[in-house]
Amino acid sequence: MSALDRAGLDARAWLLWALAASLPPLLGRNPFVLTATLLAVLGVRTAMAPPSDTPGALAWNGVVRLAVVFASVGALFNVLTAHLGDRPFAYLPSALPLIGGPLTLNALVYGLLSGAALLTLVLVGTTLGWALDWPTLARLLPARLSTLAVAGAVAWAFVPQTVVALREIREAQAARGYRARGARELVPLLVPLLAGGLERAVTLAEALESRAFASPPDSHPGTSSRLPWRSALAALGLAGALLGAYLLGAGAPIATLPALGASVLALAIAGAGPRSSRRRTRYRPTRWSRADSLVAVTGAITVAAVVITLAADPAAIRYDPYPSLTLPRVNLGLLAALSLLLSPVLFIPARPSDSPIMAARGRAQRVTLP
Amino acid sequence: MTYAFVPFQEETISGIDLLKRSGISQVTISFGGLGEGVCSLEGEGCSATACRRSVCQGSGVNAPFWQYFRQSAPGEWRPLTLGASATKVRDGDVDAWSWTGREAGLPALSLAEVARLAGAPLNDGVPGGDRPVVQTAYPPGFVRPTEEKGQGTVVYVVAGTLLALIGGGSIYAARRRQLRGEAEG
């Protein structure tokens, strides 16, 4: 199944959208920015998610529910342990270790904002988990970086596969009349889960090997001497990307640009190496559509707006409710740019079932069947 | 420079209690049994997040952080490396906090001078009083920073409208999906 079949967009456009949606919660806690990002991501996720009764949707929804629990616990923990700020609303006896002291609205606000940021990131990840077609991405990336895509595919598939496997095991055990009542009785659930996970890992490894993913680098005469420095360049490029991400997170957006520029250049040179003698067969080449361009451009505009705002008006992204709870700063241009995160909803071409004819057919069936 | 004069009845109090009683605007973070770390004083310092991570200390050699000193003799400032929570303050002690990396460069100050600079009232010619006082003095030629004016109501109304539009777009997306689901049967 290609990316076009799954969610109507090229994998690269989805990656750019995910980068644009992840930057605001990673860089700051401004409530306006977080709310705008969360709403836009929720909209895209709602529009792109599979029907809620499919195994994939159930698995990812479980991850989102877990994130909501973690976010709530995090907010509560922050209120109980961060006794900072000018708006106390309750006091716990100071004799209580760690949690004793004033409980403040400042800590509650910070905890809720951190929870919203966590939830936004998880929603971006789960949207990507559904929408992104990793095999297509592996084919799109240069051969030298394909291992990265494979690692990403395996990592992204781990959680939903485990959730689905756990549900299947639980149902199978329930059919045998088994009910887990305590921690000691979880063994019949966890042992098959572990065994199934190992079995899936072995199957995946064999599948990857049969598709030549574990093959050594091209060793054609005349090309072998050039491979080591190109591989080193690819590693340097990835390290540069990590350095750029760190600098951006540390609040140095200007220093980020040369690091990311050097990283892109290094990866481009590394990827432009001699063609491998082994060529992959492609039954259905991916095509870059107008919708891909529009989503990629809007994603790039959002990323640029976030980086420029971080350099010129950092308070519009970063917000600290300590020591005083103040109104957060608003940057209307940034909010307008964040609204572009809804672009996948607007630009993805309608599927056949979205067309009026198919919709009318569906309605007619619903009317006549009873 | 901000000066504070803090009277107290107890024989000793901790350095962090002294700071909290002073009335200086501050952000401190508890590190459990290790005591409290000072993140910012009078708006100078680092955010609570950075404070939790590294108690404001950056990676540079001269990266500033809040250092705690006590004057042992006029002009001789001894760093109190155990931290404010583990340090006992007695009557007559002159303590200082400095947002610097290495040398604090603190001037020689007597308790009377601190009380005068903080604006403590005089009792029989001796500065004192029963309430803490605090005052910030700026060196000659230094312009007092003005309070940043907040944004107008219109900005927040427009921001709210933008958020409502994004929310509306999300609802539209959900509705579109629902219609699609109904069409598929």
Side-chain angles (χ1 to χ4, degrees):
Chain A
M1 191 185 284
S2 75
L4 287 166
D5 292 330
R6 296 184 70 152
L9 277 183
D10 189 277
R12 290 162 291 188
W14 272 121
L15 280 183
L16 202 51
W17 175 85
L19 173 70
S22 302
L23 274 182
L26 284 174
L27 293 176
R29 295 285 182 272
N30 187 298
F32 285 98
V33 172
L34 281 179
T35 309
T37 312
L38 183 59
L39 285 174
V41 171
L42 267 176
V44 174
R45 186 176 187 278
T46 311
M48 300 300 152
S52 56
D53 53 349
T54 56
L58 286 171
W60 284 123
N61 288 345
V63 175
V64 173
R65 275 196 291 272
L66 201 63
V68 171
V69 171
F70 279 140
S72 309
V73 171
L76 184 67
F77 186 79
N78 202 58
V79 172
L80 290 174
T81 57
H83 308 287
L84 314 169
D86 59 345
R87 303 285 178 92
F89 64 88
Y91 288 88
L92 289 178
S94 54
L96 292 172
L98 194 61
I99 62 171
L103 308 182
T104 64
L105 278 178
N106 309 58
L108 178 65
V109 167
Y110 192 81
L112 289 175
L113 291 175
S114 297
L118 172 72
L119 189 61
T120 307
L121 288 171
V122 170
L123 286 172
V124 171
T126 54
T127 308
L128 211 60
W130 159 247
L132 196 65
D133 193 19
W134 284 96
T136 308
L137 185 66
R139 290 186 204 104
L140 288 171
L141 284 174
R144 218 171 295 280
L145 297 178
S146 64
T147 47
L148 201 68
V150 172
V154 172
W156 232 265
F158 172 75
V159 174
Q161 277 182 357
T162 306
V163 172
V164 170
L166 182 63
R167 185 181 303 107
E168 286 172 356
I169 292 165
R170 213 168 47 194
E171 286 171 359
Q173 297 287 35
R176 295 183 181 97
Y178 175 79
R179 281 179 66 192
R181 293 186 184 85
R184 290 172 69 95
E185 295 179 22
L186 288 175
V187 175
L189 293 178
L190 295 180
V191 170
L193 186 69
L194 180 66
L198 287 171
E199 197 178 317
R200 277 199 306 278
V202 171
T203 309
L204 180 67
E206 286 173 355
L208 289 172
E209 196 173 354
S210 68
R211 286 161 178 77
F213 274 107
S215 62
D218 199 340
S219 54
H220 256 219
T223 60
S224 57
S225 61
R226 278 181 284 176
L227 283 172
W229 73 263
R230 283 189 192 279
S231 297
L233 210 56
L236 277 176
L238 291 174
L242 281 176
L243 178 67
Y246 171 77
L247 288 170
L248 193 64
I254 303 298
T256 305
L257 295 176
L260 287 184
S263 163
V264 169
L265 187 68
L267 289 174
I269 294 171
R275 281 183 175 277
S276 169
S277 58
R278 285 180 287 274
R279 299 187 67 180
R280 291 188 197 140
T281 308
R282 293 182 184 184
Y283 296 106
R284 185 179 177 181
T286 52
R287 281 180 298 179
W288 185 263
S289 67
R290 186 165 164 270
D292 297 326
S293 300
L294 288 168
V295 171
V297 167
T298 51
I301 289 172
T302 309
V303 170
V306 171
V307 173
I308 290 168
T309 308
L310 190 65
D313 186 11
I317 291 184
R318 299 185 189 280
Y319 172 71
D320 205 346
Y322 306 119
S324 303
L325 200 58
T326 53
L327 271 177
R329 188 168 169 74
V330 175
N331 186 314
L332 294 175
L334 178 64
L335 289 187
L338 288 173
S339 69
L340 296 177
L341 288 174
L342 275 171
S343 60
V345 178
L346 305 173
F347 297 141
I348 285 181
R351 296 183 202 178
S353 56
D354 287 337
S355 67
I357 296 170
M358 290 300 287
R361 189 179 297 170
R363 278 195 291 275
Q365 281 172 349
R366 276 198 302 125
V367 170
T368 53
L369 276 176
Chain B
M1 197 175 281
T2 298
Y3 302 92
F5 181 81
V6 184
F8 54 88
Q9 301 296 323
E10 301 91 331
E11 195 163 321
T12 62
I13 59 172
S14 71
I16 204 76
D17 282 339
L18 179 77
L19 201 57
K20 287 186 174 172
R21 292 184 192 189
S22 69
I24 291 173
S25 158
Q26 60 195 265
V27 175
T28 61
I29 280 192
S30 171
F31 288 91
L34 293 172
E36 292 198 37
V38 175
C39 311
S40 80
L41 297 175
E42 291 290 304
E44 189 70 70
C46 67
S47 68
T49 314
C51 197
R52 273 188 212 277
R53 202 166 47 226
S54 59
V55 203
C56 298
Q57 191 148 26
S59 54
V61 178
N62 290 320
F65 61 102
W66 277 112
Q67 300 186 69
Y68 188 28
F69 294 93
R70 176 164 296 164
Q71 193 176 231
S72 50
E76 279 184 28
W77 293 93
R78 182 168 53 88
L80 299 169
T81 49
L82 287 179
S85 296
T87 300
K88 297 287 179 200
V89 182
R90 290 177 178 79
D91 186 27
D93 283 342
V94 179
D95 289 9
W97 287 89
S98 170
W99 177 251
T100 44
R102 280 184 172 176
E103 292 300 319
L106 294 166
L109 282 169
S110 67
L111 186 63
E113 280 175 304
V114 173
R116 180 179 58 79
L117 290 164
L122 295 171
N123 291 338
D124 300 330
V126 179
D130 55 357
R131 288 194 310 173
V133 282
V134 59
Q135 195 160 285
T136 301
Y138 295 95
F142 189 87
V143 181
R144 185 189 179 93
T146 51
E147 288 267 325
E148 195 179 327
K149 283 181 71 176
Q151 293 174 295
T153 314
V154 179
V155 176
Y156 289 103
V157 170
V158 176
T161 310
L162 272 172
L163 291 181
L165 282 173
I166 298 172
S170 296
I171 293 169
Y172 162 74
R175 181 76 185 137
R176 186 182 170 196
R177 180 169 178 271
Q178 192 184 354
L179 288 173
R180 191 173 65 205
E182 285 176 4
E184 284 170 355

